[in-house]
Amino acid sequence: MNIYFSCSITGGRAEETTYQEIVRFLLEEGHEVPTAHLSETGVMNLEDVVDPVEVFTRDMAWIRGCEAVVAEVSSPSHGVGYEIAYALSLGKPVLCCYKDGKRVSKIITGNTSPGLSIINYKDDAQAVGVVRDFTRLQGDNC
């Protein structure tokens, strides 16, 4: 399955190891993850050299081409929120996962859009479990 992984880049990288564990799991399961590089430690340097219009055009095309979105939303990010809304407007299933105890925008937690799942986790292993359950459910629905 083609899965768009969304996470904070400029809004904070506190959950970077979680991003890496999620992406590692997705790739090991055989999923295509065009945004796998977003989990990498040096992503800010990679993305700094890309023109903003190119990033927007590229990422919107990746969302249109994906079958589902997995968004880690523990750290506030304008871009992640935009990507979630865009994916939902296209009818894509979206998982928003966040670390237990983090404050997540009510625009996310109060969203009742069909296809949106919002689940918290305690640690990296549980985050991977949440993603595993979501991807298996989506695979069953395809």
Side-chain angles (χ1 to χ4, degrees), residues 1 3-5 19-33 35 69-70 128 131-132 134-135:
M1 183 173 1
I3 299 174
Y4 187 95
F5 176 71
Y19 304 162
Q20 293 165 351
E21 290 299 317
I22 290 170
V23 168
R24 182 174 309 135
F25 164 77
L26 291 170
L27 293 172
E28 286 174 358
E29 288 289 302
H31 298 291
E32 181 181 340
V33 185
T35 54
V69 172
V70 171
V128 168
V131 172
R132 181 190 61 242
F134 174 78
T135 57

mmCIF file with all atom_site columns, all heavy atoms in Angstrom, residues 1 3-5 19-33 35 69-70 128 131-132 134-135:
data_model
loop_
_atom_site.group_PDB
_atom_site.id
_atom_site.type_symbol
_atom_site.label_atom_id
_atom_site.label_alt_id
_atom_site.label_comp_id
_atom_site.label_asym_id
_atom_site.label_entity_id
_atom_site.label_seq_id
_atom_site.pdbx_PDB_ins_code
_atom_site.Cartn_x
_atom_site.Cartn_y
_atom_site.Cartn_z
_atom_site.occupancy
_atom_site.B_iso_or_equiv
_atom_site.pdbx_formal_charge
_atom_site.auth_seq_id
_atom_site.auth_comp_id
_atom_site.auth_asym_id
_atom_site.auth_atom_id
_atom_site.pdbx_PDB_model_num
ATOM 1   N N   . MET A 1 1   ? 0.855  -1.175 0.000  1.00 0.00 ? 1   MET A N   1
ATOM 2   C CA  . MET A 1 1   ? 0.000  0.000  0.000  1.00 0.00 ? 1   MET A CA  1
ATOM 3   C C   . MET A 1 1   ? 0.902  1.239  0.000  1.00 0.00 ? 1   MET A C   1
ATOM 4   O O   . MET A 1 1   ? 1.958  1.246  0.624  1.00 0.00 ? 1   MET A O   1
ATOM 5   C CB  . MET A 1 1   ? -0.883 -0.042 1.259  1.00 0.00 ? 1   MET A CB  1
ATOM 6   C CG  . MET A 1 1   ? -1.864 1.068  1.347  1.00 0.00 ? 1   MET A CG  1
ATOM 7   S SD  . MET A 1 1   ? -3.094 1.003  2.707  1.00 0.00 ? 1   MET A SD  1
ATOM 8   C CE  . MET A 1 1   ? -2.741 -0.427 3.632  1.00 0.00 ? 1   MET A CE  1
ATOM 9   N N   . ILE A 1 3   ? 1.574  4.700  1.383  1.00 0.00 ? 3   ILE A N   1
ATOM 10  C CA  . ILE A 1 3   ? 1.190  5.432  2.590  1.00 0.00 ? 3   ILE A CA  1
ATOM 11  C C   . ILE A 1 3   ? 1.998  6.715  2.694  1.00 0.00 ? 3   ILE A C   1
ATOM 12  O O   . ILE A 1 3   ? 3.234  6.697  2.674  1.00 0.00 ? 3   ILE A O   1
ATOM 13  C CB  . ILE A 1 3   ? 1.395  4.571  3.848  1.00 0.00 ? 3   ILE A CB  1
ATOM 14  C CG1 . ILE A 1 3   ? 0.523  3.323  3.754  1.00 0.00 ? 3   ILE A CG1 1
ATOM 15  C CG2 . ILE A 1 3   ? 1.105  5.375  5.108  1.00 0.00 ? 3   ILE A CG2 1
ATOM 16  C CD1 . ILE A 1 3   ? 0.728  2.328  4.851  1.00 0.00 ? 3   ILE A CD1 1
ATOM 17  N N   . TYR A 1 4   ? 1.279  7.821  2.811  1.00 0.00 ? 4   TYR A N   1
ATOM 18  C CA  . TYR A 1 4   ? 1.911  9.117  3.025  1.00 0.00 ? 4   TYR A CA  1
ATOM 19  C C   . TYR A 1 4   ? 2.124  9.280  4.526  1.00 0.00 ? 4   TYR A C   1
ATOM 20  O O   . TYR A 1 4   ? 1.165  9.300  5.294  1.00 0.00 ? 4   TYR A O   1
ATOM 21  C CB  . TYR A 1 4   ? 1.012  10.241 2.494  1.00 0.00 ? 4   TYR A CB  1
ATOM 22  C CG  . TYR A 1 4   ? 1.650  11.602 2.529  1.00 0.00 ? 4   TYR A CG  1
ATOM 23  C CD1 . TYR A 1 4   ? 2.303  12.110 1.411  1.00 0.00 ? 4   TYR A CD1 1
ATOM 24  C CD2 . TYR A 1 4   ? 1.596  12.394 3.669  1.00 0.00 ? 4   TYR A CD2 1
ATOM 25  C CE1 . TYR A 1 4   ? 2.882  13.368 1.436  1.00 0.00 ? 4   TYR A CE1 1
ATOM 26  C CE2 . TYR A 1 4   ? 2.177  13.648 3.702  1.00 0.00 ? 4   TYR A CE2 1
ATOM 27  C CZ  . TYR A 1 4   ? 2.821  14.131 2.582  1.00 0.00 ? 4   TYR A CZ  1
ATOM 28  O OH  . TYR A 1 4   ? 3.400  15.372 2.613  1.00 0.00 ? 4   TYR A OH  1
ATOM 29  N N   . PHE A 1 5   ? 3.387  9.380  4.959  1.00 0.00 ? 5   PHE A N   1
ATOM 30  C CA  . PHE A 1 5   ? 3.703  9.604  6.366  1.00 0.00 ? 5   PHE A CA  1
ATOM 31  C C   . PHE A 1 5   ? 3.923  11.085 6.585  1.00 0.00 ? 5   PHE A C   1
ATOM 32  O O   . PHE A 1 5   ? 4.702  11.724 5.886  1.00 0.00 ? 5   PHE A O   1
ATOM 33  C CB  . PHE A 1 5   ? 4.954  8.819  6.786  1.00 0.00 ? 5   PHE A CB  1
ATOM 34  C CG  . PHE A 1 5   ? 5.367  9.105  8.199  1.00 0.00 ? 5   PHE A CG  1
ATOM 35  C CD1 . PHE A 1 5   ? 4.603  8.638  9.259  1.00 0.00 ? 5   PHE A CD1 1
ATOM 36  C CD2 . PHE A 1 5   ? 6.495  9.854  8.463  1.00 0.00 ? 5   PHE A CD2 1
ATOM 37  C CE1 . PHE A 1 5   ? 4.958  8.914  10.570 1.00 0.00 ? 5   PHE A CE1 1
ATOM 38  C CE2 . PHE A 1 5   ? 6.862  10.134 9.767  1.00 0.00 ? 5   PHE A CE2 1
ATOM 39  C CZ  . PHE A 1 5   ? 6.098  9.672  10.823 1.00 0.00 ? 5   PHE A CZ  1
ATOM 40  N N   . TYR A 1 19  ? 8.973  8.652  14.854 1.00 0.00 ? 19  TYR A N   1
ATOM 41  C CA  . TYR A 1 19  ? 8.823  8.757  13.401 1.00 0.00 ? 19  TYR A CA  1
ATOM 42  C C   . TYR A 1 19  ? 9.628  7.650  12.725 1.00 0.00 ? 19  TYR A C   1
ATOM 43  O O   . TYR A 1 19  ? 9.155  6.987  11.799 1.00 0.00 ? 19  TYR A O   1
ATOM 44  C CB  . TYR A 1 19  ? 9.340  10.099 12.861 1.00 0.00 ? 19  TYR A CB  1
ATOM 45  C CG  . TYR A 1 19  ? 8.774  11.356 13.437 1.00 0.00 ? 19  TYR A CG  1
ATOM 46  C CD1 . TYR A 1 19  ? 9.458  12.563 13.266 1.00 0.00 ? 19  TYR A CD1 1
ATOM 47  C CD2 . TYR A 1 19  ? 7.570  11.403 14.136 1.00 0.00 ? 19  TYR A CD2 1
ATOM 48  C CE1 . TYR A 1 19  ? 8.960  13.756 13.752 1.00 0.00 ? 19  TYR A CE1 1
ATOM 49  C CE2 . TYR A 1 19  ? 7.072  12.585 14.642 1.00 0.00 ? 19  TYR A CE2 1
ATOM 50  C CZ  . TYR A 1 19  ? 7.775  13.769 14.449 1.00 0.00 ? 19  TYR A CZ  1
ATOM 51  O OH  . TYR A 1 19  ? 7.294  14.952 14.945 1.00 0.00 ? 19  TYR A OH  1
ATOM 52  N N   . GLN A 1 20  ? 10.877 7.481  13.176 1.00 0.00 ? 20  GLN A N   1
ATOM 53  C CA  . GLN A 1 20  ? 11.764 6.493  12.569 1.00 0.00 ? 20  GLN A CA  1
ATOM 54  C C   . GLN A 1 20  ? 11.237 5.074  12.754 1.00 0.00 ? 20  GLN A C   1
ATOM 55  O O   . GLN A 1 20  ? 11.297 4.264  11.828 1.00 0.00 ? 20  GLN A O   1
ATOM 56  C CB  . GLN A 1 20  ? 13.173 6.642  13.143 1.00 0.00 ? 20  GLN A CB  1
ATOM 57  C CG  . GLN A 1 20  ? 13.814 7.947  12.728 1.00 0.00 ? 20  GLN A CG  1
ATOM 58  C CD  . GLN A 1 20  ? 15.051 8.325  13.527 1.00 0.00 ? 20  GLN A CD  1
ATOM 59  O OE1 . GLN A 1 20  ? 15.383 7.699  14.532 1.00 0.00 ? 20  GLN A OE1 1
ATOM 60  N NE2 . GLN A 1 20  ? 15.734 9.372  13.085 1.00 0.00 ? 20  GLN A NE2 1
ATOM 61  N N   . GLU A 1 21  ? 10.720 4.769  13.934 1.00 0.00 ? 21  GLU A N   1
ATOM 62  C CA  . GLU A 1 21  ? 10.176 3.432  14.183 1.00 0.00 ? 21  GLU A CA  1
ATOM 63  C C   . GLU A 1 21  ? 8.945  3.166  13.316 1.00 0.00 ? 21  GLU A C   1
ATOM 64  O O   . GLU A 1 21  ? 8.780  2.068  12.786 1.00 0.00 ? 21  GLU A O   1
ATOM 65  C CB  . GLU A 1 21  ? 9.838  3.256  15.668 1.00 0.00 ? 21  GLU A CB  1
ATOM 66  C CG  . GLU A 1 21  ? 11.050 3.182  16.568 1.00 0.00 ? 21  GLU A CG  1
ATOM 67  C CD  . GLU A 1 21  ? 11.963 2.012  16.254 1.00 0.00 ? 21  GLU A CD  1
ATOM 68  O OE1 . GLU A 1 21  ? 11.446 0.898  16.018 1.00 0.00 ? 21  GLU A OE1 1
ATOM 69  O OE2 . GLU A 1 21  ? 13.195 2.211  16.238 1.00 0.00 ? 21  GLU A OE2 1
ATOM 70  N N   . ILE A 1 22  ? 8.075  4.164  13.175 1.00 0.00 ? 22  ILE A N   1
ATOM 71  C CA  . ILE A 1 22  ? 6.882  4.007  12.331 1.00 0.00 ? 22  ILE A CA  1
ATOM 72  C C   . ILE A 1 22  ? 7.276  3.758  10.882 1.00 0.00 ? 22  ILE A C   1
ATOM 73  O O   . ILE A 1 22  ? 6.784  2.829  10.243 1.00 0.00 ? 22  ILE A O   1
ATOM 74  C CB  . ILE A 1 22  ? 5.953  5.234  12.457 1.00 0.00 ? 22  ILE A CB  1
ATOM 75  C CG1 . ILE A 1 22  ? 5.309  5.266  13.853 1.00 0.00 ? 22  ILE A CG1 1
ATOM 76  C CG2 . ILE A 1 22  ? 4.900  5.248  11.351 1.00 0.00 ? 22  ILE A CG2 1
ATOM 77  C CD1 . ILE A 1 22  ? 4.566  6.567  14.163 1.00 0.00 ? 22  ILE A CD1 1
ATOM 78  N N   . VAL A 1 23  ? 8.172  4.579  10.366 1.00 0.00 ? 23  VAL A N   1
ATOM 79  C CA  . VAL A 1 23  ? 8.593  4.438  8.965  1.00 0.00 ? 23  VAL A CA  1
ATOM 80  C C   . VAL A 1 23  ? 9.319  3.113  8.757  1.00 0.00 ? 23  VAL A C   1
ATOM 81  O O   . VAL A 1 23  ? 9.072  2.419  7.764  1.00 0.00 ? 23  VAL A O   1
ATOM 82  C CB  . VAL A 1 23  ? 9.447  5.642  8.526  1.00 0.00 ? 23  VAL A CB  1
ATOM 83  C CG1 . VAL A 1 23  ? 10.135 5.376  7.195  1.00 0.00 ? 23  VAL A CG1 1
ATOM 84  C CG2 . VAL A 1 23  ? 8.587  6.899  8.444  1.00 0.00 ? 23  VAL A CG2 1
ATOM 85  N N   . ARG A 1 24  ? 10.182 2.728  9.683  1.00 0.00 ? 24  ARG A N   1
ATOM 86  C CA  . ARG A 1 24  ? 10.880 1.435  9.570  1.00 0.00 ? 24  ARG A CA  1
ATOM 87  C C   . ARG A 1 24  ? 9.860  0.303  9.479  1.00 0.00 ? 24  ARG A C   1
ATOM 88  O O   . ARG A 1 24  ? 9.974  -0.578 8.624  1.00 0.00 ? 24  ARG A O   1
ATOM 89  C CB  . ARG A 1 24  ? 11.797 1.227  10.771 1.00 0.00 ? 24  ARG A CB  1
ATOM 90  C CG  . ARG A 1 24  ? 12.592 -0.085 10.703 1.00 0.00 ? 24  ARG A CG  1
ATOM 91  C CD  . ARG A 1 24  ? 13.592 -0.206 11.830 1.00 0.00 ? 24  ARG A CD  1
ATOM 92  N NE  . ARG A 1 24  ? 14.347 1.025  11.838 1.00 0.00 ? 24  ARG A NE  1
ATOM 93  C CZ  . ARG A 1 24  ? 14.667 1.744  12.922 1.00 0.00 ? 24  ARG A CZ  1
ATOM 94  N NH1 . ARG A 1 24  ? 14.390 1.372  14.064 1.00 0.00 ? 24  ARG A NH1 1
ATOM 95  N NH2 . ARG A 1 24  ? 15.314 2.869  12.857 1.00 0.00 ? 24  ARG A NH2 1
ATOM 96  N N   . PHE A 1 25  ? 8.852  0.330  10.345 1.00 0.00 ? 25  PHE A N   1
ATOM 97  C CA  . PHE A 1 25  ? 7.817  -0.698 10.317 1.00 0.00 ? 25  PHE A CA  1
ATOM 98  C C   . PHE A 1 25  ? 7.107  -0.724 8.962  1.00 0.00 ? 25  PHE A C   1
ATOM 99  O O   . PHE A 1 25  ? 6.941  -1.781 8.361  1.00 0.00 ? 25  PHE A O   1
ATOM 100 C CB  . PHE A 1 25  ? 6.794  -0.468 11.439 1.00 0.00 ? 25  PHE A CB  1
ATOM 101 C CG  . PHE A 1 25  ? 5.536  -1.249 11.230 1.00 0.00 ? 25  PHE A CG  1
ATOM 102 C CD1 . PHE A 1 25  ? 5.495  -2.604 11.494 1.00 0.00 ? 25  PHE A CD1 1
ATOM 103 C CD2 . PHE A 1 25  ? 4.394  -0.641 10.711 1.00 0.00 ? 25  PHE A CD2 1
ATOM 104 C CE1 . PHE A 1 25  ? 4.333  -3.344 11.258 1.00 0.00 ? 25  PHE A CE1 1
ATOM 105 C CE2 . PHE A 1 25  ? 3.238  -1.363 10.479 1.00 0.00 ? 25  PHE A CE2 1
ATOM 106 C CZ  . PHE A 1 25  ? 3.216  -2.724 10.751 1.00 0.00 ? 25  PHE A CZ  1
ATOM 107 N N   . LEU A 1 26  ? 6.680  0.451  8.492  1.00 0.00 ? 26  LEU A N   1
ATOM 108 C CA  . LEU A 1 26  ? 5.949  0.518  7.223  1.00 0.00 ? 26  LEU A CA  1
ATOM 109 C C   . LEU A 1 26  ? 6.774  -0.052 6.073  1.00 0.00 ? 26  LEU A C   1
ATOM 110 O O   . LEU A 1 26  ? 6.267  -0.829 5.257  1.00 0.00 ? 26  LEU A O   1
ATOM 111 C CB  . LEU A 1 26  ? 5.523  1.956  6.928  1.00 0.00 ? 26  LEU A CB  1
ATOM 112 C CG  . LEU A 1 26  ? 4.450  2.546  7.838  1.00 0.00 ? 26  LEU A CG  1
ATOM 113 C CD1 . LEU A 1 26  ? 4.297  4.041  7.593  1.00 0.00 ? 26  LEU A CD1 1
ATOM 114 C CD2 . LEU A 1 26  ? 3.123  1.822  7.666  1.00 0.00 ? 26  LEU A CD2 1
ATOM 115 N N   . LEU A 1 27  ? 8.044  0.308  6.021  1.00 0.00 ? 27  LEU A N   1
ATOM 116 C CA  . LEU A 1 27  ? 8.909  -0.183 4.951  1.00 0.00 ? 27  LEU A CA  1
ATOM 117 C C   . LEU A 1 27  ? 9.142  -1.688 5.076  1.00 0.00 ? 27  LEU A C   1
ATOM 118 O O   . LEU A 1 27  ? 9.117  -2.411 4.078  1.00 0.00 ? 27  LEU A O   1
ATOM 119 C CB  . LEU A 1 27  ? 10.235 0.583  4.943  1.00 0.00 ? 27  LEU A CB  1
ATOM 120 C CG  . LEU A 1 27  ? 10.128 2.063  4.568  1.00 0.00 ? 27  LEU A CG  1
ATOM 121 C CD1 . LEU A 1 27  ? 11.470 2.760  4.780  1.00 0.00 ? 27  LEU A CD1 1
ATOM 122 C CD2 . LEU A 1 27  ? 9.627  2.252  3.142  1.00 0.00 ? 27  LEU A CD2 1
ATOM 123 N N   . GLU A 1 28  ? 9.359  -2.166 6.307  1.00 0.00 ? 28  GLU A N   1
ATOM 124 C CA  . GLU A 1 28  ? 9.566  -3.601 6.514  1.00 0.00 ? 28  GLU A CA  1
ATOM 125 C C   . GLU A 1 28  ? 8.333  -4.414 6.127  1.00 0.00 ? 28  GLU A C   1
ATOM 126 O O   . GLU A 1 28  ? 8.454  -5.564 5.694  1.00 0.00 ? 28  GLU A O   1
ATOM 127 C CB  . GLU A 1 28  ? 9.943  -3.884 7.969  1.00 0.00 ? 28  GLU A CB  1
ATOM 128 C CG  . GLU A 1 28  ? 11.360 -3.488 8.306  1.00 0.00 ? 28  GLU A CG  1
ATOM 129 C CD  . GLU A 1 28  ? 11.699 -3.627 9.785  1.00 0.00 ? 28  GLU A CD  1
ATOM 130 O OE1 . GLU A 1 28  ? 10.812 -4.003 10.595 1.00 0.00 ? 28  GLU A OE1 1
ATOM 131 O OE2 . GLU A 1 28  ? 12.854 -3.349 10.136 1.00 0.00 ? 28  GLU A OE2 1
ATOM 132 N N   . GLU A 1 29  ? 7.156  -3.810 6.259  1.00 0.00 ? 29  GLU A N   1
ATOM 133 C CA  . GLU A 1 29  ? 5.907  -4.484 5.881  1.00 0.00 ? 29  GLU A CA  1
ATOM 134 C C   . GLU A 1 29  ? 5.661  -4.439 4.374  1.00 0.00 ? 29  GLU A C   1
ATOM 135 O O   . GLU A 1 29  ? 4.670  -4.965 3.889  1.00 0.00 ? 29  GLU A O   1
ATOM 136 C CB  . GLU A 1 29  ? 4.723  -3.839 6.613  1.00 0.00 ? 29  GLU A CB  1
ATOM 137 C CG  . GLU A 1 29  ? 4.677  -4.152 8.095  1.00 0.00 ? 29  GLU A CG  1
ATOM 138 C CD  . GLU A 1 29  ? 4.299  -5.594 8.381  1.00 0.00 ? 29  GLU A CD  1
ATOM 139 O OE1 . GLU A 1 29  ? 3.221  -6.033 7.952  1.00 0.00 ? 29  GLU A OE1 1
ATOM 140 O OE2 . GLU A 1 29  ? 5.102  -6.288 9.052  1.00 0.00 ? 29  GLU A OE2 1
ATOM 141 N N   . GLY A 1 30  ? 6.547  -3.758 3.650  1.00 0.00 ? 30  GLY A N   1
ATOM 142 C CA  . GLY A 1 30  ? 6.436  -3.710 2.202  1.00 0.00 ? 30  GLY A CA  1
ATOM 143 C C   . GLY A 1 30  ? 5.631  -2.545 1.652  1.00 0.00 ? 30  GLY A C   1
ATOM 144 O O   . GLY A 1 30  ? 5.333  -2.511 0.459  1.00 0.00 ? 30  GLY A O   1
ATOM 145 N N   . HIS A 1 31  ? 5.285  -1.603 2.512  1.00 0.00 ? 31  HIS A N   1
ATOM 146 C CA  . HIS A 1 31  ? 4.537  -0.436 2.046  1.00 0.00 ? 31  HIS A CA  1
ATOM 147 C C   . HIS A 1 31  ? 5.467  0.544  1.333  1.00 0.00 ? 31  HIS A C   1
ATOM 148 O O   . HIS A 1 31  ? 6.651  0.633  1.644  1.00 0.00 ? 31  HIS A O   1
ATOM 149 C CB  . HIS A 1 31  ? 3.864  0.278  3.229  1.00 0.00 ? 31  HIS A CB  1
ATOM 150 C CG  . HIS A 1 31  ? 2.867  -0.567 3.934  1.00 0.00 ? 31  HIS A CG  1
ATOM 151 N ND1 . HIS A 1 31  ? 1.656  -0.939 3.373  1.00 0.00 ? 31  HIS A ND1 1
ATOM 152 C CD2 . HIS A 1 31  ? 2.898  -1.152 5.164  1.00 0.00 ? 31  HIS A CD2 1
ATOM 153 C CE1 . HIS A 1 31  ? 0.993  -1.694 4.227  1.00 0.00 ? 31  HIS A CE1 1
ATOM 154 N NE2 . HIS A 1 31  ? 1.725  -1.845 5.314  1.00 0.00 ? 31  HIS A NE2 1
ATOM 155 N N   . GLU A 1 32  ? 4.906  1.265  0.400  1.00 0.00 ? 32  GLU A N   1
ATOM 156 C CA  . GLU A 1 32  ? 5.628  2.354  -0.254 1.00 0.00 ? 32  GLU A CA  1
ATOM 157 C C   . GLU A 1 32  ? 5.387  3.602  0.584  1.00 0.00 ? 32  GLU A C   1
ATOM 158 O O   . GLU A 1 32  ? 4.229  3.940  0.889  1.00 0.00 ? 32  GLU A O   1
ATOM 159 C CB  . GLU A 1 32  ? 5.098  2.552  -1.671 1.00 0.00 ? 32  GLU A CB  1
ATOM 160 C CG  . GLU A 1 32  ? 5.809  3.637  -2.437 1.00 0.00 ? 32  GLU A CG  1
ATOM 161 C CD  . GLU A 1 32  ? 5.225  3.825  -3.835 1.00 0.00 ? 32  GLU A CD  1
ATOM 162 O OE1 . GLU A 1 32  ? 4.551  2.918  -4.345 1.00 0.00 ? 32  GLU A OE1 1
ATOM 163 O OE2 . GLU A 1 32  ? 5.438  4.908  -4.385 1.00 0.00 ? 32  GLU A OE2 1
ATOM 164 N N   . VAL A 1 33  ? 6.471  4.298  0.973  1.00 0.00 ? 33  VAL A N   1
ATOM 165 C CA  . VAL A 1 33  ? 6.365  5.492  1.813  1.00 0.00 ? 33  VAL A CA  1
ATOM 166 C C   . VAL A 1 33  ? 7.188  6.604  1.157  1.00 0.00 ? 33  VAL A C   1
ATOM 167 O O   . VAL A 1 33  ? 8.386  6.734  1.408  1.00 0.00 ? 33  VAL A O   1
ATOM 168 C CB  . VAL A 1 33  ? 6.864  5.225  3.259  1.00 0.00 ? 33  VAL A CB  1
ATOM 169 C CG1 . VAL A 1 33  ? 6.637  6.453  4.140  1.00 0.00 ? 33  VAL A CG1 1
ATOM 170 C CG2 . VAL A 1 33  ? 6.188  3.996  3.853  1.00 0.00 ? 33  VAL A CG2 1
ATOM 171 N N   . THR A 1 35  ? 7.406  9.608  1.688  1.00 0.00 ? 35  THR A N   1
ATOM 172 C CA  . THR A 1 35  ? 7.901  10.604 2.640  1.00 0.00 ? 35  THR A CA  1
ATOM 173 C C   . THR A 1 35  ? 8.780  9.983  3.723  1.00 0.00 ? 35  THR A C   1
ATOM 174 O O   . THR A 1 35  ? 8.968  10.586 4.787  1.00 0.00 ? 35  THR A O   1
ATOM 175 C CB  . THR A 1 35  ? 6.725  11.341 3.296  1.00 0.00 ? 35  THR A CB  1
ATOM 176 O OG1 . THR A 1 35  ? 5.848  10.351 3.860  1.00 0.00 ? 35  THR A OG1 1
ATOM 177 C CG2 . THR A 1 35  ? 5.982  12.206 2.306  1.00 0.00 ? 35  THR A CG2 1
ATOM 178 N N   . VAL A 1 69  ? -3.042 7.944  4.815  1.00 0.00 ? 69  VAL A N   1
ATOM 179 C CA  . VAL A 1 69  ? -2.100 8.863  5.459  1.00 0.00 ? 69  VAL A CA  1
ATOM 180 C C   . VAL A 1 69  ? -1.936 8.445  6.915  1.00 0.00 ? 69  VAL A C   1
ATOM 181 O O   . VAL A 1 69  ? -2.917 8.190  7.611  1.00 0.00 ? 69  VAL A O   1
ATOM 182 C CB  . VAL A 1 69  ? -2.594 10.323 5.388  1.00 0.00 ? 69  VAL A CB  1
ATOM 183 C CG1 . VAL A 1 69  ? -1.715 11.255 6.215  1.00 0.00 ? 69  VAL A CG1 1
ATOM 184 C CG2 . VAL A 1 69  ? -2.656 10.791 3.937  1.00 0.00 ? 69  VAL A CG2 1
ATOM 185 N N   . VAL A 1 70  ? -0.682 8.392  7.350  1.00 0.00 ? 70  VAL A N   1
ATOM 186 C CA  . VAL A 1 70  ? -0.362 8.202  8.765  1.00 0.00 ? 70  VAL A CA  1
ATOM 187 C C   . VAL A 1 70  ? 0.328  9.488  9.215  1.00 0.00 ? 70  VAL A C   1
ATOM 188 O O   . VAL A 1 70  ? 1.379  9.846  8.692  1.00 0.00 ? 70  VAL A O   1
ATOM 189 C CB  . VAL A 1 70  ? 0.562  6.983  8.984  1.00 0.00 ? 70  VAL A CB  1
ATOM 190 C CG1 . VAL A 1 70  ? 1.062  6.941  10.428 1.00 0.00 ? 70  VAL A CG1 1
ATOM 191 C CG2 . VAL A 1 70  ? -0.156 5.691  8.619  1.00 0.00 ? 70  VAL A CG2 1
ATOM 192 N N   . VAL A 1 128 ? 3.865  1.866  16.937 1.00 0.00 ? 128 VAL A N   1
ATOM 193 C CA  . VAL A 1 128 ? 3.971  0.946  15.802 1.00 0.00 ? 128 VAL A CA  1
ATOM 194 C C   . VAL A 1 128 ? 2.755  0.027  15.766 1.00 0.00 ? 128 VAL A C   1
ATOM 195 O O   . VAL A 1 128 ? 2.201  -0.247 14.699 1.00 0.00 ? 128 VAL A O   1
ATOM 196 C CB  . VAL A 1 128 ? 5.299  0.151  15.861 1.00 0.00 ? 128 VAL A CB  1
ATOM 197 C CG1 . VAL A 1 128 ? 5.289  -1.007 14.869 1.00 0.00 ? 128 VAL A CG1 1
ATOM 198 C CG2 . VAL A 1 128 ? 6.477  1.085  15.590 1.00 0.00 ? 128 VAL A CG2 1
ATOM 199 N N   . VAL A 1 131 ? -0.177 1.872  14.267 1.00 0.00 ? 131 VAL A N   1
ATOM 200 C CA  . VAL A 1 131 ? 0.001  1.990  12.810 1.00 0.00 ? 131 VAL A CA  1
ATOM 201 C C   . VAL A 1 131 ? -0.254 0.631  12.147 1.00 0.00 ? 131 VAL A C   1
ATOM 202 O O   . VAL A 1 131 ? -0.906 0.559  11.109 1.00 0.00 ? 131 VAL A O   1
ATOM 203 C CB  . VAL A 1 131 ? 1.401  2.540  12.472 1.00 0.00 ? 131 VAL A CB  1
ATOM 204 C CG1 . VAL A 1 131 ? 1.671  2.474  10.972 1.00 0.00 ? 131 VAL A CG1 1
ATOM 205 C CG2 . VAL A 1 131 ? 1.545  3.973  12.993 1.00 0.00 ? 131 VAL A CG2 1
ATOM 206 N N   . ARG A 1 132 ? 0.245  -0.443 12.746 1.00 0.00 ? 132 ARG A N   1
ATOM 207 C CA  . ARG A 1 132 ? 0.018  -1.787 12.205 1.00 0.00 ? 132 ARG A CA  1
ATOM 208 C C   . ARG A 1 132 ? -1.479 -2.076 12.100 1.00 0.00 ? 132 ARG A C   1
ATOM 209 O O   . ARG A 1 132 ? -1.970 -2.525 11.063 1.00 0.00 ? 132 ARG A O   1
ATOM 210 C CB  . ARG A 1 132 ? 0.682  -2.841 13.091 1.00 0.00 ? 132 ARG A CB  1
ATOM 211 C CG  . ARG A 1 132 ? 0.496  -4.272 12.567 1.00 0.00 ? 132 ARG A CG  1
ATOM 212 C CD  . ARG A 1 132 ? 0.939  -5.338 13.555 1.00 0.00 ? 132 ARG A CD  1
ATOM 213 N NE  . ARG A 1 132 ? 0.152  -5.232 14.778 1.00 0.00 ? 132 ARG A NE  1
ATOM 214 C CZ  . ARG A 1 132 ? 0.650  -4.955 15.986 1.00 0.00 ? 132 ARG A CZ  1
ATOM 215 N NH1 . ARG A 1 132 ? 1.949  -4.773 16.163 1.00 0.00 ? 132 ARG A NH1 1
ATOM 216 N NH2 . ARG A 1 132 ? -0.141 -4.862 17.032 1.00 0.00 ? 132 ARG A NH2 1
ATOM 217 N N   . PHE A 1 134 ? -3.973 0.040  11.943 1.00 0.00 ? 134 PHE A N   1
ATOM 218 C CA  . PHE A 1 134 ? -4.567 0.928  10.938 1.00 0.00 ? 134 PHE A CA  1
ATOM 219 C C   . PHE A 1 134 ? -4.284 0.422  9.528  1.00 0.00 ? 134 PHE A C   1
ATOM 220 O O   . PHE A 1 134 ? -5.190 0.330  8.697  1.00 0.00 ? 134 PHE A O   1
ATOM 221 C CB  . PHE A 1 134 ? -4.028 2.353  11.118 1.00 0.00 ? 134 PHE A CB  1
ATOM 222 C CG  . PHE A 1 134 ? -4.470 3.318  10.057 1.00 0.00 ? 134 PHE A CG  1
ATOM 223 C CD1 . PHE A 1 134 ? -5.743 3.864  10.077 1.00 0.00 ? 134 PHE A CD1 1
ATOM 224 C CD2 . PHE A 1 134 ? -3.601 3.714  9.049  1.00 0.00 ? 134 PHE A CD2 1
ATOM 225 C CE1 . PHE A 1 134 ? -6.150 4.765  9.107  1.00 0.00 ? 134 PHE A CE1 1
ATOM 226 C CE2 . PHE A 1 134 ? -3.996 4.614  8.073  1.00 0.00 ? 134 PHE A CE2 1
ATOM 227 C CZ  . PHE A 1 134 ? -5.276 5.144  8.103  1.00 0.00 ? 134 PHE A CZ  1
ATOM 228 N N   . THR A 1 135 ? -3.033 0.057  9.251  1.00 0.00 ? 135 THR A N   1
ATOM 229 C CA  . THR A 1 135 ? -2.684 -0.368 7.888  1.00 0.00 ? 135 THR A CA  1
ATOM 230 C C   . THR A 1 135 ? -3.351 -1.694 7.551  1.00 0.00 ? 135 THR A C   1
ATOM 231 O O   . THR A 1 135 ? -3.769 -1.890 6.413  1.00 0.00 ? 135 THR A O   1
ATOM 232 C CB  . THR A 1 135 ? -1.158 -0.457 7.678  1.00 0.00 ? 135 THR A CB  1
ATOM 233 O OG1 . THR A 1 135 ? -0.585 -1.348 8.648  1.00 0.00 ? 135 THR A OG1 1
ATOM 234 C CG2 . THR A 1 135 ? -0.514 0.919  7.782  1.00 0.00 ? 135 THR A CG2 1
#
